[in-house]
Structure formats: C-alpha cells, structure tokens
C-alpha cells in the first residue's frame, strides 16, 4: 500500500541520516558499501513494526585533483 511504501521510505532516509551523522562524528565525509535492510515484525492485530539494519564503512575521501596537485614530483627520475 501507499502508506507502507511511505513508511519504508522514511525509515530508509532516517537510516542514512543517522549513519551520516555517526560518520561525521569520527571525521569521515563519505560512507561506502552502504546497505540498508528492513524487515516487518508483526505484533499481531494491526500493529506494525519494522526492524532496520544499516551498515557501511565511514571513510575520509579527498578530491583527486587536490591530491595530485599537492604531490611533490620534483624528485621524479632522480634515482634517489
């Protein structure tokens, strides 16, 4: 149903926000390998609960252009 899809979408977005905040707490600016799993847990009757597992690896990513522009290549080919 439409309400069910809205709930799943909200859960998905909340999981991303929570993981992003946790990553920022440790100084990371990216999450790689993000996986969000959700299962419906029926409590009987009309109660509906969801169990959510969200995992990913927090990393510090740098702009490749910045990295290459800061590399010192003046010794290239010197044999040292």
């Amino acid at each position: 149903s439409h309400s069910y899809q809205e709930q799943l979408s909200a859960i998905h977005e909340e999981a991303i926000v929570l993981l992003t905040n946790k990553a920022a707490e440790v100084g990371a600016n990216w999450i790689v390998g993000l996986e969000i799993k959700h299962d419906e847990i029926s409590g009987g009757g009309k109660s509906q609960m969801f169990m959510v597992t969200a995992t990913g690896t927090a990393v510090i990513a740098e702009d490749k252009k910045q990295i290459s522009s800061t590399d010192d290549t003046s010794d290239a080919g010197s044999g040292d």
Side-chain angles (χ1 to χ4, degrees), residues 2-43:
H2 186 61
S3 176
Y4 182 84
Q5 290 298 324
E6 287 177 351
Q7 287 177 326
L8 289 180
S9 180
I11 289 169
H12 191 265
E13 291 300 317
E14 184 177 357
I16 291 172
V17 168
L18 291 172
L19 246 49
T20 301
N21 290 342
K22 284 288 190 183
E25 286 176 16
V26 297
N29 59 353
W30 281 82
I31 299 172
V32 295
L34 177 63
E35 184 175 10
I36 300 174
K37 296 180 182 180
H38 42 77
D39 293 307
E40 183 180 348
I41 302 171
S42 179

